[in-house]
Amino acid sequence: MELNFTIEGGDFTQAGQASSRVKKVLKQLGVDTKCIKSIVIALYEAEVNVVAHAYKGHIKIQIDKDKISVVITDEGPGIPDIEMAMTEGFSTASKKVREMGFGAGMGLPNIKKNTDEMTIESVVGQSTTLTMVNYF
């Protein structure tokens, strides 16, 4: 099964729609609740990152019988130092985003903690692609 979503940068009212939909689908498929929780946390964090940092993004989700694969590609500023961005507490979020309660610098570390596999590729000034895999 494949699901696709579009994310608009700056639109925090839409953040979480993909993770909410995926949660419902995985419950219907009988996936373990602990596994669903990890997937939903990672996907929500990724959605918020796109909303907070990029102009727009696309999520492609592939659900197979033994795993879920998620690829999130955005158009935005990119990540100049991925290793630094993976550090808990490191954030490049704007003051406005922080005032809304986001941008604490836990997004990428939380994604890593809640996925079985995670890769990030980024081109500064163009885009970032995040790939996550969780096995059921």
Side-chain angles (χ1 to χ4, degrees), residues 2-34:
E2 184 174 300
L3 301 169
N4 291 281
F5 301 90
T6 300
I7 306 171
E8 287 301 318
D11 187 357
F12 283 91
T13 62
Q14 301 298 310
Q17 285 196 345
S19 51
S20 180
R21 175 80 176 110
V22 166
K23 181 179 180 178
K24 288 177 187 168
V25 169
L26 294 177
K27 278 184 174 183
Q28 290 172 345
L29 294 173
V31 174
D32 176 70
T33 341
K34 188 178 176 188

Side-chain angles (χ1 to χ4, degrees), residues 46-67:
E47 286 180 82
V48 169
N49 277 351
V50 173
V51 170
H53 298 287
Y55 314 120
K56 64 181 173 178
H58 182 77
I59 302 173
K60 180 180 179 181
I61 300 168
Q62 181 66 44
I63 302 172
D64 298 312
K65 65 180 181 180
D66 62 337
K67 69 180 178 184

Side-chain angles (χ1 to χ4, degrees), residues 16-110:
Q17 285 196 345
S19 51
S20 180
R21 175 80 176 110
V22 166
K23 181 179 180 178
K24 288 177 187 168
V25 169
L26 294 177
K27 278 184 174 183
Q28 290 172 345
L29 294 173
V31 174
D32 176 70
T33 341
K34 188 178 176 188
C35 187
I36 293 173
K37 183 178 179 182
S38 293
I39 293 164
V40 170
I41 288 169
L43 183 52
Y44 179 76
E45 292 282 12
E47 286 180 82
V48 169
N49 277 351
V50 173
V51 170
H53 298 287
Y55 314 120
K56 64 181 173 178
H58 182 77
I59 302 173
K60 180 180 179 181
I61 300 168
Q62 181 66 44
I63 302 172
D64 298 312
K65 65 180 181 180
D66 62 337
K67 69 180 178 184
I68 181 169
S69 305
V70 179
V71 178
I72 300 159
T73 306
D74 73 33
E75 293 177 27
I79 303 172
D81 187 337
I82 292 173
E83 188 176 332
M84 182 66 81
M86 291 300 299
T87 306
E88 288 187 12
F90 177 80
S91 179
T92 59
S94 69
K95 183 179 178 184
K96 178 182 174 187
V97 169
R98 289 175 194 246
E99 287 172 353
M100 293 171 57
F102 300 100
M106 294 304 294
L108 291 176
N110 279 342

